[in-house]
Every structure is written in structure tokens, then in C-alpha cells.
Amino acid sequence: MKRSLDIVFSLIGLLILLPFLPFIAILIKRDSKGPVFFLQERVGKDFKSFKICKFRTMESDADKKGARITAVGDGRVTKIGRTLRKI
């Protein structure tokens, strides 16, 4: 039952946000060079790996240009990235 509700509410949320997603993608592309999405492999519960895809809020290859953890005022965060992180 819980899994079904999770899926239903996720779909409702996605439908509500869907009109805004292309607009956000355009803003990211205009703000900085590089891809719109950030793709990464992470490790979850029981050490099971999964892939995450989210809007890019930092410069491309930011992990190679500094620390893996971001701090307040990190220069690698883009202008639109600061706004997206607040939302």
C-alpha cells in the first residue's frame, strides 16, 4: 500500500512540475557551459549502488576543481544553481 501511494504522489508531483522543467533546463544552459544534468553513481541501503540524475547546480567537472563537499559561498556553484539549491 505504501509503495502504491509513493508512486501515485510522485506521479502527481511530476505532472505539476513538468511545465517548469524545460524552463529550468534553458536557464542552466544559458548560465554556464556544460550539460544540463548531473549524473552520478551512489551507494544506498545495503550497499546497493544506484544512479542519480539531477539538474546541474555547479560548474562542469566541479569535483575535479575542488573539494567534494561544498561550503557556503563556494565559487563553483553557478548563479542559477544558488537559486535551485534554495528551493
Side-chain angles (χ1 to χ4, degrees):
M1 184 67 172
K2 182 185 180 313
R3 176 80 174 147
S4 298
L5 287 175
D6 287 344
I7 292 171
V8 169
F9 286 122
S10 296
L11 288 173
I12 291 170
L14 186 59
L15 288 174
I16 291 170
L17 293 175
L18 194 61
F20 301 103
L21 300 181
F23 179 69
I24 293 171
I26 290 168
L27 289 176
I28 291 171
K29 204 63 175 159
R30 289 184 71 202
D31 186 35
S32 62
K33 293 180 181 179
V36 172
F37 296 106
F38 173 73
L39 305 169
Q40 186 179 50
E41 190 165 328
R42 295 194 178 177
V43 178
K45 185 179 178 186
D46 298 326
F47 301 100
K48 185 176 179 183
S49 64
F50 64 96
K51 292 183 181 180
I52 186 169
C53 175
K54 59 184 183 177
F55 284 121
R56 184 175 54 84
T57 60
M58 298 181 78
E59 298 174 353
S60 294
D61 298 325
D63 55 336
K64 297 173 185 159
K65 297 177 184 175
R68 294 185 68 171
I69 299 172
T70 57
V72 176
D74 193 324
R76 300 173 296 166
V77 178
T78 63
K79 291 177 187 175
I80 190 68
R82 278 188 223 107
T83 304
L84 288 173
R85 287 173 174 225
K86 289 179 185 177
I87 298 175

